[in-house]
Amino acid sequence: MFDPLRHLLSLHDFEAAAKKRLPKPIYAYVSGAVEDGQSERGNRQAFAEYGFRPKVLVDVSRRSTRATVLGRDYAAPVGVAPMGISALSSYRGDIVLARAAAEANVPCIMSGSSLIRLETVMQEAPGTWFQAYLPGDDAQIAALIDRVAAAGVTTLVLTVDTPVAANRENNVRAGFSTPLRPSAGLAWQGITHPRWLFGTFLRTLWRHGMPHFENNYATRGAPILSANVLRDFSDRGHLNWQHVAAIRRRWKGQMVIKGILHPDDARTARAQGMDGVIVSNHGGRQLDGSVSPLQALPAVVDAAGGMDVMLDSGVRRGTDVLKALALGARCVFVGRPFNYAATVAGQRGVAHAISLIVEEVRRNMGLLGVVDLNGVNGDCVQRVGDRREDGVEV
């Protein structure tokens, strides 16, 4: 029997396989960035700016990838980033991602722009973090936070880099919108991608009904497919740190701010009682030309004052993970490749993708000459072209 995972040897390999299965508008949504794609390209290029300085003849036979994040022990410092409408690119995508992460014992963040109720995901994979996009109204914010708490979520992630809608021209060109509008072109995309049509969309309709945006508010949102319903986007332009302070008083669990690039914001987050921050530019999907998270990381770590600092955007290899950890990250999160993996082979695909990057981390630790993640520090890397040796100009 043909195994679609047999020839998928790295996270990069999943994209081409998923592109064949997904209708053009949905692939464009997952893969795309904004405007000229400067930030998305910069996220990858930033990792090439650092080179490793391995140490040799170190006994690395008993190396371990175990990591502690927000006080919890995980099998590896790699997690699943929040990804909106993942249940449209793979059948029961949010559950698939969360289950695979739970079985691998790595962190997973469920997106607030999701099509499966967070209560259902929490039942299937307790311990999953929840990422919220704050509504624009104080009463709606309070109701959403109370609902998240009642669902059993213990780690709340607030994404704060979306005060206004991004200019995602690629979505418009590909015919993607939320909700999707029925059209001859969209129907043709379904017909010409039968594995997605029957294995994801029609299967979902048959078993669960029309998907809706379930978790942007305390109440159900718009359907994913509609000719005349508009999605209820909140105006977030007025949101500020006072709203975060109010949530911190209301929320009794751990709380993380996602979307930090400036050290001043890390200092404010610490002052507001946050447990951690995620350095992120939203995978290059918001402000084009923003600094890459890896470039921003050292200054944010310096300002964090003991908070756990995490990172996402552009991570594709175990070497990327180790470079981020060397610069002070506690762990990293990966987005698009795990979405593609779910498209290709469901939960088994995500499990395979997680195992690939975790094994890369483990292998590269051996080549770097470190036994555990405590040994991954600034001494392990240097800027490419930096003409310094042991802190002395040469």
Side-chain angles (χ1 to χ4, degrees):
M1 182 178 178
F2 174 72
D3 183 355
L5 302 178
R6 180 180 177 185
H7 299 294
L8 300 180
L9 306 181
S10 77
L11 296 193
H12 292 296
D13 294 341
F14 286 92
E15 181 169 3
K19 185 177 182 179
K20 295 177 181 178
R21 292 173 179 255
L22 290 174
K24 180 180 177 181
I26 298 173
Y27 171 74
Y29 169 76
V30 177
S31 65
V34 292
E35 295 183 352
D36 299 322
Q38 295 179 31
S39 290
E40 184 186 26
R41 291 191 300 274
N43 290 343
R44 290 297 305 139
Q45 292 166 357
F47 289 101
E49 295 175 5
Y50 289 88
F52 289 113
R53 303 199 308 172
K55 292 184 177 179
V56 299
L57 294 177
V58 177
D59 182 355
V60 293
S61 60
R62 297 186 179 182
R63 61 196 181 278
S64 170
T65 62
R66 301 200 74 82
T68 301
V69 185
L70 297 179
R72 176 176 168 179
D73 185 48
Y74 289 101
V78 182
V80 178
M83 290 171 281
I85 63 171
S86 60
L88 189 62
S89 51
S90 62
Y91 177 70
R92 307 301 277 171
D94 300 292
I95 294 174
V96 159
L97 292 163
R99 277 180 175 171
E103 290 190 3
N105 189 25
V106 297
C108 176
I109 311 174
M110 179 187 182
S111 172
S113 288
S114 42
L115 304 177
I116 299 175
R117 286 178 57 81
L118 71 94
E119 291 84 355
T120 303
V121 175
M122 291 303 299
Q123 289 175 358
E124 296 284 346
T128 301
W129 306 5
F130 180 77
Q131 172 260 335
Y133 292 104
L134 293 183
D137 176 81
D138 289 354
Q140 290 178 328
I141 292 174
L144 175 61
I145 297 305
D146 289 347
R147 177 189 166 195
V148 174
V153 174
T154 57
T155 302
L156 173 66
V157 180
L158 299 183
T159 289
V160 295
D161 58 3
T162 59
V164 298
N167 183 24
R168 299 185 184 177
E169 298 166 355
N170 66 298
N171 287 351
V172 177
R173 294 189 178 99
F176 180 85
S177 62
T178 53
L180 289 165
R181 303 299 182 193
S183 67
L186 187 62
W188 177 250
Q189 285 294 319
I191 292 169
T192 55
H193 296 83
R195 285 182 293 186
W196 173 85
L197 178 63
F198 291 99
T200 299
F201 188 65
L202 293 180
R203 185 181 178 189
T204 299
L205 287 180
W206 176 256
R207 295 189 175 185
H208 309 282
M210 177 63 70
H212 285 63
F213 287 92
E214 298 284 3
N215 305 304
N216 285 128
Y217 301 91
T219 55
R220 193 179 216 193
I224 192 59
L225 180 69
S226 175
N228 49 30
V229 174
L230 295 177
R231 186 179 172 188
D232 40 2
F233 287 100
S234 283
D235 177 12
R236 304 189 185 103
H238 67 287
L239 295 174
N240 56 64
W241 284 104
Q242 293 180 357
H243 293 89
V244 173
I247 296 168
R248 177 69 279 184
R249 292 191 295 269
R250 194 178 194 94
W251 178 257
K252 305 307 179 185
Q254 293 177 318
M255 191 166 163
V256 174
I257 299 290
K258 178 179 179 292
I260 297 294
L261 290 173
H262 199 292
D264 286 352
D265 287 334
R267 293 186 187 96
T268 304
R270 180 183 64 184
Q272 294 278 8
M274 298 301 108
D275 297 287
V277 296
I278 300 177
V279 185
S280 169
N281 66 8
H282 219 105
R285 296 166 73 89
Q286 289 303 115
L287 174 62
D288 203 22
S290 59
V291 66
S292 77
L294 193 74
Q295 292 168 331
L297 179 61
V300 172
V301 170
D302 287 343
M307 286 189 303
D308 278 7
V309 177
M310 298 154 273
L311 175 144
D312 73 15
S313 304
V315 176
R316 297 293 182 269
R317 285 285 189 180
T319 49
D320 301 338
V321 178
L322 292 174
K323 289 175 182 179
L325 267 58
L327 295 178
R330 177 71 66 173
C331 76
V332 305
F333 291 90
V334 177
R336 292 178 180 93
F338 291 154
N339 190 307
Y340 297 140
T343 297
V344 173
Q347 184 174 332
R348 194 167 70 91
V350 180
H352 181 59
I354 292 172
S355 68
L356 285 175
I357 193 167
V358 171
E359 183 54 33
E360 286 182 358
V361 172
R362 175 178 167 78
R363 180 186 304 113
N364 291 321
M365 286 175 64
L367 295 171
L368 189 56
V370 295
V371 177
D372 58 44
L373 297 182
N374 291 326
V376 183
N377 53 44
D379 189 52
C380 297
V381 296
Q382 73 175 47
R383 291 292 295 263
V384 174
D386 186 0
R387 301 188 66 203
R388 290 179 180 270
E389 182 175 318
D390 297 327
V392 179
E393 188 76 19
V394 297

